[in-house]
Amino acid sequence: MSDHENAGYDEWLDAIAGGDGYFLECGNGHGSLPPRRICPECGATDLETTPLPEAGTVETYTVVHVAAPSFADDVPYTTAVAKFGPVRLTGVADDDVEVGTDVSVKIGESETTGDRLLRFERR
Ligand SMILES: [Zn+2]
């Protein structure tokens, strides 16, 4: 699979939205996300497109009560970091997530700006 080779972050969000999420994997099994061209851990430049696991696990989360102006209408909201295979994604999560919660990733949007963002849903 090399059709995602030149993809940027927007194209990556499109892939997630279409249920076709993926990450970039180097020969050492490190994961990273577009638009990277080089493995951030070992510097490898030969990155393969690998399907993103359907399930992730919440590693940390934070409830945001005071947001930057671009998120003013969204507060309070919960941001979480979830591990999907070798990659960590940061997104907005349901209020009741805990460390260890299994989630899937969808595309949501900011209530303030309408910008697309990653959204974690309980599985
Ligand atoms: Zn690597």
Side-chain angles (χ1 to χ4, degrees), residues 26-31 39-44 47:
C26 79
N28 293 316
H30 303 136
C39 174
E41 290 190 58
C42 70
L47 304 181

Side-chain angles (χ1 to χ4, degrees), residues 44-56:
T45 54
D46 187 14
L47 304 181
E48 288 277 326
T49 300
T50 304
L52 192 71
E54 282 183 27

